[in-house]
Amino acid sequence: MKFKMQDKQNQLIERISDKHLVVGVDIAQQVHVARAVNFRGIVVGDPLSFENNEEGFSRLLQWINELKET
């Protein structure tokens, strides 16, 4: 049985529970922006701008860990 891409995406979305934090990143060449939402799509915290380097990605990881605690 073949699955359409939309069916696969819907299956993945259905697996998201109240224990998940969904993080999206708008990537650019120098500065990226990350946003987080809960399982219902409600924005959690403020967006984070971070640079495309090791320090920036460390900030992203720290930001995610702080949001997971709330």
Side-chain angles (χ1 to χ4, degrees):
M1 175 183 224
K2 283 188 172 179
F3 283 105
K4 293 180 184 175
M5 185 57 93
Q6 184 65 43
D7 292 336
K8 179 67 173 172
Q9 185 175 8
N10 287 341
Q11 287 177 346
L12 294 173
I13 291 170
E14 288 173 355
R15 295 172 65 184
I16 297 173
S17 73
D18 61 344
K19 294 183 183 349
H20 287 93
L21 177 68
V22 180
V23 177
V25 179
D26 181 14
I27 58 172
Q29 199 165 24
Q30 297 297 324
V31 178
H32 309 310
V33 179
R35 292 192 67 118
V37 297
N38 67 11
F39 73 105
R40 291 186 174 159
I42 298 171
V43 175
V44 178
D46 293 325
L48 172 74
S49 294
F50 62 99
E51 293 186 17
N52 187 11
N53 56 33
E54 188 173 342
E55 182 181 329
F57 283 96
S58 293
R59 284 188 56 217
L60 174 64
L61 184 58
Q62 178 183 359
W63 177 76
I64 291 171
N65 287 327
E66 290 171 2
L67 290 177
K68 284 174 23 179
E69 292 177 10
T70 60

